[in-house]
Amino acid sequence: MKCKAYLTIYLALSLTVMLSVVMVLLMGVKKNTIRMEEELALNTAGWSALAEYHQELFRQYDLFFIDTSYGSGFPEIEALGEHVKDYANKNLQDTGLMEGRLTAIEIREAEVAADHGGQVLKRQIAEYEENYFGIEALEELFSAYDFAEKDQVSEKELIRMRDNNEERLAKEPPPVKKETRKRYNLKTGETTTYEVEEEVPIVNPASSVNELRHKGILNLVVEDTSGISGSGISPDQYLSGRNDILQGNGILTEREEGRNALTDLKEDILLQAYIFQKYGYYGMEKENAALDYQVEYLLAGKSSDVENLKAVVNKLLLFREAANAAYLYGDTAKRAEISAMAASVAAVAIAPYLQPMLETSILFAWAYIESIQDVKLLLAGGKVPILKSASDWQTGLSSILNFSGGAINKNTSKGLDYGQYLSMFLMTKKENELLFSMMDVMEMDIRKTAFNENFRMDGCVSGFQAVTEFEDDSGNCSFIRTYYY
């Protein structure tokens, strides 16, 4: 009996210890279960918040961004945190297993589209284009990207030469012609001789073309100006014209790994491809857009389609004039024509010393007239090579005397089309200005749709880090989680 008593006491003591261990384990299981439930609720809430991407932005531009204004027109990154919090607490209520709730949330490192001069936007565009094209198509795109680097034209140097020559020619005093004349005196009957000096005007054959440079040009390069878009906008209503731009914390640090110069080059190429997929331009207008000539807006940033088209046409004329002048300098036959015309003008003016300057003036005038025909051809859907050959040349030297436009040869198959020239000009634009202009156009188009009248790209988030604190029966716990498209 005594032995049984010892055993009973031993078992009683052992069971107490075992029950204590079991209770500790149960408390641990409960705590871990609550933590797992809270973490799962948070993850579900984070991805649910990302699922609230702006549908119209996705439909038109294939971009995933959360509009943190949620249709109100007043974007706040904190509003995103409230959405995550609501989703998490609803998820915890639905389980009904343990008492737990998300009590505090802070959004850190939010990626806003306009951060770092638009680099967040550029990153997502590159990811979209990479998936859109596929590997083989990307290789072809990369190989075709260097077309603008071939046949380089020293545009600034040639135009500077033209302007300096015109300035020198304008400063030249008119030649003076001396004539010997006779005078008869009726009273004395004597005849005397005397010398008369007379200024000889210089009739520069290029003068009418030089005047043409300062006049409206659209009526010369567009066959039917009545078809030019009359749309316009107020630039200060859009991202690049606003002062109150919402900023996040930039690109999430964990997404920066593995970037290099090749990555930047690839993104530049893909950005160009994206622009010509999603944005309209003259001859390839986008339907239901605020501006018809959107790529021209990216280049010029003017408030109307007319002004944007005019600015791009003038830029294109300048580029083509330099390229055509470079060709004329190397074409001996055409140089001989130019020399003959300049020599005849100099001879009439009795100023052979002016011939070299007249030759340069005539050469650039001819190059400009050819450029007008080039731009006219481009806007009509044709192609023009950067540097021409004799077979590509369209105008005769006599056209500089009284040019009023002329027929163009549309049967051209070599060279660059209008869109490719636009692409070449886009490469020279500062990247942050280009990306902000792209977001301007996105805002314009999205605002034309229902319930998006106040849409702002700087209120759009593509990724965020959430620092959270939960409260439950077992105490408090915190999680840091990152979510992005």
Side-chain angles (χ1 to χ4, degrees):
M1 292 294 295
K2 188 176 181 180
C3 182
K4 290 182 179 181
Y6 287 144
L7 184 58
T8 301
I9 295 172
Y10 175 76
L11 288 173
L13 293 173
S14 299
L15 284 173
T16 303
V17 174
M18 291 175 64
L19 285 172
S20 299
V21 172
V22 170
M23 292 302 296
V24 170
L25 291 174
L26 287 174
M27 290 298 294
V29 169
K30 177 184 177 181
K31 185 175 182 179
N32 289 333
T33 301
I34 293 173
R35 298 293 181 268
M36 182 180 68
E37 184 183 51
E38 290 169 344
E39 186 175 9
L40 289 174
L42 175 61
N43 286 337
T44 303
W47 294 115
S48 296
L50 289 179
E52 295 181 313
Y53 60 87
H54 197 279
Q55 295 186 18
E56 191 62 36
L57 185 62
F58 174 74
R59 187 184 69 81
Q60 292 195 39
Y61 290 98
D62 288 294
L63 298 175
F64 286 105
F65 280 97
I66 305 168
D67 177 14
T68 57
S69 74
Y70 294 96
S72 68
F74 301 99
E76 290 181 325
I77 295 177
E78 292 78 8
L80 173 60
E82 291 302 313
H83 276 241
V84 174
K85 183 178 179 180
D86 289 343
Y87 277 125
N89 286 330
K90 286 179 181 177
N91 290 332
L92 290 171
Q93 289 173 5
D94 291 341
T95 61
L97 294 175
M98 311 285 183
E99 287 296 329
R101 62 191 183 92
L102 176 57
T103 56
I105 182 169
E106 178 186 358
I107 300 297
R108 293 183 184 175
E109 293 193 32
E111 288 186 344
V112 174
D115 282 349
H116 295 302
Q119 289 300 309
V120 172
L121 174 71
K122 182 184 177 184
R123 172 70 63 79
Q124 193 171 142
I125 287 173
E127 291 172 353
Y128 162 75
E129 287 295 326
E130 193 169 7
N131 292 323
Y132 176 87
F133 279 107
I135 300 299
E136 293 182 2
L138 276 176
E139 291 175 355
E140 293 180 8
L141 186 66
F142 293 168
S143 63
Y145 185 70
D146 64 348
F147 68 83
E149 298 179 0
K150 299 176 182 178
D151 302 326
Q152 289 291 330
V153 178
S154 183
E155 178 184 340
K156 291 182 179 179
E157 184 179 343
L158 286 170
I159 298 304
R160 189 184 305 113
M161 184 189 301
R162 179 200 72 188
D163 293 342
N164 290 341
N165 182 77
E166 293 302 324
E167 187 177 345
R168 286 176 54 205
L169 195 56
K171 289 180 178 178
E172 283 289 335
V176 176
K177 180 173 68 174
K178 295 182 179 180
E179 287 186 359
T180 301
R181 296 182 181 178
K182 293 182 179 181
R183 182 187 294 117
Y184 180 73
N185 192 322
L186 292 174
K187 293 181 179 181
T188 62
E190 296 179 351
T191 301
T192 58
T193 60
Y194 63 95
E195 216 172 52
V196 176
E197 292 185 350
E198 183 180 352
E199 290 185 351
V200 180
I202 303 171
V203 183
N204 185 355
S207 58
S208 61
V209 176
N210 292 335
E211 292 175 6
L212 196 62
R213 286 192 178 94
H214 306 292
K215 295 181 178 179
I217 199 67
L218 289 183
N219 60 327
L220 287 177
V221 297
V222 178
E223 293 181 350
D224 181 12
T225 55
S226 65
I228 295 177
S229 168
S231 299
I233 51 104
S234 298
D236 58 349
Q237 294 182 3
Y238 302 100
L239 182 65
S240 60
R242 290 198 302 267
N243 295 321
D244 58 334
I245 297 177
L246 184 65
Q247 293 287 329
N249 302 104
I251 297 173
L252 298 176
T253 53
E254 64 184 65
R255 304 178 72 179
E256 285 292 280
E257 297 178 2
R259 291 185 59 80
N260 51 41
L262 183 60
T263 304
D264 293 336
L265 174 61
K266 179 185 72 174
E267 290 183 355
D268 290 339
I269 298 171
L270 295 176
L271 184 66
Q272 287 276 329
Y274 181 84
I275 288 173
F276 287 92
Q277 283 178 2
K278 303 297 183 182
Y279 291 73
Y281 54 94
Y282 183 86
M284 295 290 289
E285 293 84 358
K286 178 181 174 181
E287 293 184 2
N288 302 318
L291 290 176
D292 285 341
Y293 313 144
Q294 295 176 324
V295 178
E296 287 86 347
Y297 173 82
L298 301 184
L299 287 166
K302 306 293 185 181
S303 60
S304 70
D305 276 330
V306 172
E307 292 300 315
N308 287 318
L309 182 60
K310 189 183 296 184
V312 170
V313 163
N314 284 325
K315 184 178 180 66
L316 194 51
L317 278 170
L318 193 66
F319 179 84
R320 288 304 317 152
E321 182 182 358
N324 290 332
Y327 167 74
L328 287 175
Y329 271 110
D331 189 314
T332 53
K334 287 182 172 56
R335 283 295 299 276
E337 290 184 62
I338 293 169
S339 295
M341 181 179 282
S344 65
V345 173
V348 170
I350 319 174
Y353 60 90
L354 292 179
Q355 181 174 338
M357 284 187 283
L358 285 169
E359 285 185 14
T360 301
S361 185
I362 293 168
L363 183 146
F364 276 100
W366 195 3
Y368 187 73
I369 293 302
E370 181 74 9
S371 301
I372 291 176
Q373 295 297 89
D374 289 344
V375 176
K376 190 174 182 180
L377 176 59
L378 289 170
L379 294 179
K383 293 183 176 182
V384 175
I386 293 181
L387 288 182
K388 291 188 170 184
S389 62
S391 61
D392 302 318
W393 200 262
Q394 301 183 69
T395 59
L397 179 57
S398 60
S399 61
I400 73 170
L401 300 175
N402 188 22
F403 181 77
S404 59
I408 54 174
N409 177 21
K410 294 184 180 180
N411 298 321
T412 56
S413 58
K414 67 176 183 177
L416 308 181
D417 61 24
Y418 178 62
Q420 289 172 309
Y421 274 98
L422 293 181
S423 179
M424 187 165 57
F425 293 153
L426 286 171
M427 294 177 198
T428 65
K429 191 172 178 68
K430 291 181 179 179
E431 186 174 80
N432 63 319
E433 293 178 1
L434 174 60
L435 289 166
F436 268 56
S437 296
M438 290 174 65
M439 287 186 276
D440 285 350
V441 175
M442 290 176 183
E443 289 185 348
M444 295 175 202
D445 289 350
I446 300 301
R447 289 182 186 183
K448 285 178 66 68
T449 61
F451 311 111
N452 291 306
E453 294 79 6
N454 299 306
F455 175 77
R456 293 173 51 166
M457 281 299 296
D458 58 324
C460 292
V461 170
S462 64
F464 61 94
Q465 184 183 82
V467 179
T468 61
E469 185 170 336
F470 285 84
E471 184 179 289
D472 52 61
D473 294 343
S474 59
N476 298 334
C477 71
S478 59
F479 298 99
I480 300 177
R481 293 292 181 269
T482 302
Y483 306 94
Y484 53 81
Y485 293 111

